[in-house]
Amino acid sequence: MSSWLLWLWFISRLCQARSAVPTLIGTIAPGDIVIGGLFPVHQGVVNRVNLSQPQAPACTKFDIGGFTQLLAMIHAIEEINNSSLLDGLKLGYEIYDSCSDVTTAIRATMTFINTPGNCAGAHCSTTECNPKVKAVVGDSHSEISIAVARLLNQEMIPQISYASSAVILSDKTRFPAFMRTIPNDNYQTKAMAKLIERSGWNWIGVISTDGDYGRSAVDSFVSHAAKLGICVAFKEILPDLLSDRNIDTKINQTVETIRSNNKVKVIVSFARPLHMIQILHFFNKQTLNKIWFASDGWSTSKDAFEKHNVTNVETVVGFTFKNGSLDEFYTYLKNLKSNAETVKNNIFLKQYALYGSLNDTVNLTSLLEKDFPPLNDTGVKALIDNTYPDDVYSIQMTINAIAYALVNLCKEKNCKNGSHVQPWELLDALKKTEFKQEGKTYMFNSDGDINSGYNVVLWKTFNGVINMYNSVAEYVIENDTFTFSSNDTKRLLDDLRGVISKCSNSCTPGQVKKTAEGQHTCCYECINCTENQYSNNTGKYKQNNLIGCSRSGG
């Protein structure tokens, strides 16, 4: 079968399969223009081995951080609807739980691209079929966003992620409908390598999860590090899913690798928070004297540090996306228990009110007939404590981008009738529209990204208590530089230079480096120059290691 016939067959089967998808339970509110949402409200699904027929997933391990992301989208939509920006046009939403699982997210995406009327077979990808959802917000994880984007491409439905940072998603030949309100990982890994080089370290370890995000981030980081003379002593790749049968073995292996590499005092991690919790717990009550470099995935995770009583982490240098004020969102969370409309529509809020953030598996269908209990002050405080400023800011940005694009698009057509708006028209408007956020103006670049830069945060432990210093520095993408909030925050990072993470010490005057064949360039012996020779101190390596001996003059 030729490739185009095979692709046509796939589209036909996909369209026909839509009607067979088990009913999903999500959070839905009507509107003239409906926006889809995918958020990791749960951290995984129950093992699906030996399934004999399609069935809705049983999601487990409630993720309160993912839930606050979902609430941030609803809040942002309500703010737009209560403003005059859209001149009476109302945004609706249809939000589902991805359960941090690709298969679950694809099932929800098939619901998003469902079209009314007779729309099967070859007609599925034409403009005659107009999906009810005009744009999709999410997901958080790159692996999920990549899979979802491949489906949304068929209808050219714009997808805007607030956290998926894998470099591959900037490739518009493969992901023409994907956009994001953050930079891609190439800038973050470059910033990490630059800060490590600035501190004089050249012998480091790397940890990541398997999959598109982890492997891409590692490759990018290693490339940037090598250009700065930084060597990677070890790389440990962990299974992406916590339900993987090899997860315990790989965690144990990673822990042993860290223990056996005594000279490695700096470890860069692109792992998920739950992976880091397990690794750090192995070292609890030990003094490791390690500096951890955390990617955006876990750099501000209270779950990883505070909630699980991890007290052995001396220092974590974390990178986060840009953020803004949380005052309005905090007010929204505090008013949740009195907001009847939001409460009525939100099945996940009902789950949270009934069970809190327990890890038990809950069948959402069983909650439909239950009365909604009051959300107590403890529950509200937990939501506030598990809100991450960069997530909220990026999610607000996605909704603002859609709203401003609709302003331009709806000048030319009646958007009150959602069937008059094609997703690809909204996508085109998004590419051309400038929008505002907290007084700043943004616009997607040609890769569909917004290169707003990064904040650097610092976690430090004093007397068994870990504290976070927010925004100690800012990385500016345009000129590849760090700016510091104050001399005090600069000193916090400068003080880390007291930790030595090198394979070999610098050679002294009169010595030369000798590297064994096949050995890292950062690992060498220092041998004395022979008589009548002197050490050549003109080398450009940042480690300031002397690189050769020359015959003395005279």
Side-chain angles (χ1 to χ4, degrees):
M1 183 182 292
S2 67
S3 59
W4 72 270
L5 284 175
L6 182 62
W7 186 242
L8 188 63
W9 173 84
F10 168 75
I11 292 174
S12 175
R13 294 293 295 170
L14 176 62
C15 294
Q16 294 168 10
R18 291 173 182 165
S19 60
V21 177
T23 301
L24 292 173
I25 298 175
T27 298
I28 298 173
D32 302 311
I33 301 293
V34 177
I35 303 173
L38 283 172
F39 295 90
V41 181
H42 289 81
Q43 297 170 357
V45 296
V46 174
N47 199 309
R48 289 186 293 241
V49 176
N50 299 324
L51 282 182
S52 59
Q53 62 184 20
Q55 66 182 50
C59 300
T60 186
K61 298 185 182 298
F62 189 89
D63 187 338
I64 191 169
F67 179 49
T68 58
Q69 294 169 4
L70 180 150
L71 292 174
M73 175 177 169
I74 295 174
H75 171 245
I77 287 177
E78 291 182 358
E79 288 290 291
I80 292 294
N81 285 342
N82 291 331
S83 74
S84 59
L85 179 64
L86 293 180
D87 193 24
L89 186 73
K90 293 295 182 183
L91 299 180
Y93 55 81
E94 190 170 315
I95 306 176
Y96 297 107
D97 181 4
S98 70
C99 301
S100 306
D101 174 67
V102 170
T103 302
T104 304
I106 288 176
R107 178 175 283 111
T109 306
M110 291 168 68
T111 300
F112 291 150
I113 62 178
N114 192 24
T115 54
N118 183 17
C119 199
H123 294 292
C124 185
S125 60
T126 71
T127 56
E128 296 174 15
C129 301
N130 194 342
K132 57 181 176 178
V133 168
K134 308 304 178 185
V136 174
V137 176
D139 185 81
S140 172
H141 304 302
S142 292
E143 291 82 3
I144 295 176
S145 286
I146 289 170
V148 167
R150 296 190 188 280
L151 289 180
L152 295 179
N153 280 349
Q154 308 313 311
E155 305 286 354
M156 290 300 284
I157 299 175
Q159 174 189 1
I160 310 178
S161 175
Y162 54 92
S164 295
S165 53
V167 176
I168 188 176
L169 287 163
S170 292
D171 185 347
K172 295 303 104 176
T173 60
R174 284 183 279 186
F175 304 99
F178 179 84
M179 310 175 92
R180 53 186 160 199
T181 49
I182 55 170
N184 76 50
D185 268 329
N186 185 56
Y187 298 105
Q188 181 176 192
T189 55
K190 184 178 183 179
M192 284 180 167
K194 188 177 182 71
L195 194 55
I196 288 171
E197 183 256 357
R198 177 184 179 274
S199 301
W201 303 313
N202 68 7
W203 191 234
I204 64 171
V206 177
I207 301 171
S208 81
T209 47
D210 203 353
D212 297 292
Y213 165 73
R215 291 190 178 275
S216 172
V218 169
D219 290 345
S220 178
F221 172 76
V222 171
S223 175
H224 289 302
K227 294 174 184 176
L228 298 175
I230 299 167
C231 299
V232 176
F234 62 82
K235 289 188 288 187
E236 289 291 342
I237 309 297
L238 303 171
D240 192 42
L241 300 177
L242 289 172
S243 58
D244 190 292
R245 67 183 63 183
N246 297 317
I247 186 68
D248 290 338
T249 300
K250 288 298 295 183
I251 291 288
N252 290 336
Q253 176 183 313
T254 300
V255 168
E256 186 53 39
T257 298
I258 294 170
R259 281 180 173 148
S260 61
N261 282 268
N262 293 324
K263 290 185 176 180
V264 175
K265 300 299 184 183
V266 176
I267 302 174
V268 177
S269 172
F270 301 99
R272 292 188 181 184
L274 285 178
H275 290 87
M276 290 308 303
I277 289 169
Q278 293 192 39
I279 290 172
L280 295 174
H281 264 301
F282 270 93
F283 298 109
N284 226 356
K285 298 182 180 179
Q286 297 182 34
T287 301
L288 288 176
N289 195 27
K290 304 284 187 187
I291 295 175
W292 301 84
F293 269 66
S295 69
D296 60 271
W298 68 283
S299 58
T300 56
S301 176
K302 295 181 177 67
D303 219 31
F305 302 121
E306 297 174 351
K307 182 177 177 182
H308 289 268
N309 194 30
V310 175
T311 58
N312 65 304
V313 182
E314 290 87 3
T315 304
V316 176
V317 179
F319 284 75
T320 72
F321 302 120
K322 303 299 289 184
N323 57 59
S325 173
L326 289 175
D327 292 344
E328 291 185 1
F329 185 58
Y330 284 163
T331 299
Y332 170 79
L333 293 179
K334 292 173 183 176
N335 293 335
L336 271 180
K337 52 188 175 183
S338 60
N339 189 332
E341 194 62 29
T342 297
V343 166
K344 181 180 69 176
N345 291 330
N346 199 324
I347 189 69
F348 302 113
L349 186 56
K350 180 182 284 191
Q351 178 187 354
Y352 179 69
L354 283 166
Y355 301 105
S357 57
L358 296 176
N359 289 341
D360 298 334
T361 302
V362 177
N363 184 343
L364 293 181
T365 305
S366 68
L367 302 182
L368 294 177
E369 303 303 321
K370 289 182 178 291
D371 293 331
F372 203 108
L375 187 62
N376 58 37
D377 291 338
T378 301
V380 171
K381 183 179 184 303
L383 290 176
I384 292 174
D385 289 343
N386 286 276
T387 294
Y388 301 106
D390 53 341
D391 286 341
V392 174
Y393 190 78
S394 294
I395 291 166
Q396 289 172 339
M397 196 181 291
T398 65
I399 301 304
N400 280 339
I402 292 170
Y404 276 85
L406 284 171
V407 169
N408 290 336
L409 181 62
C410 298
K411 290 176 181 177
E412 303 172 0
K413 58 172 57 193
N414 175 22
C415 293
K416 291 287 288 185
N417 186 336
S419 63
H420 291 173
V421 178
Q422 293 285 356
W424 54 265
E425 293 176 316
L426 179 55
L427 175 62
D428 187 57
L430 281 163
K431 293 177 181 179
K432 300 175 182 177
T433 300
E434 288 187 344
F435 60 94
K436 293 183 178 179
Q437 176 101 352
E438 294 190 6
K440 297 180 181 179
T441 300
Y442 296 94
M443 189 173 185
F444 294 101
N445 64 18
S446 59
D447 293 329
D449 304 336
I450 292 181
N451 291 337
S452 52
Y454 299 89
N455 287 337
V456 180
V457 300
L458 189 68
W459 293 82
K460 287 189 72 68
T461 300
F462 296 101
N463 299 322
V465 178
I466 190 163
N467 298 286
M468 186 180 82
Y469 298 86
N470 195 17
S471 298
V472 297
E474 178 182 353
Y475 177 71
V476 182
I477 287 176
E478 287 75 17
N479 55 15
D480 185 28
T481 60
F482 288 95
T483 61
F484 297 91
S485 307
S486 66
N487 288 333
D488 289 338
T489 60
K490 182 176 182 295
R491 193 176 301 113
L492 284 171
L493 289 177
D494 289 345
D495 288 347
L496 301 181
R497 294 176 176 178
V499 175
I500 305 299
S501 191
K502 291 185 176 183
C503 182
S504 303
N505 294 326
S506 299
C507 295
T508 61
Q511 293 184 322
V512 62
K513 295 189 303 183
K514 181 181 179 181
T515 304
E517 185 177 352
Q519 196 173 25
H520 283 285
T521 58
C522 300
C523 302
Y524 49 82
E525 292 181 80
C526 291
I527 60 174
N528 294 327
C529 292
T530 58
E531 189 176 357
N532 295 325
Q533 288 190 332
Y534 64 94
S535 56
N536 179 358
N537 196 25
T538 61
K540 300 297 183 182
Y541 263 139
K542 298 296 183 180
Q543 304 100 298
N544 295 322
N545 292 317
L546 307 180
I547 61 173
C549 294
S550 299
R551 186 174 300 278
S552 59

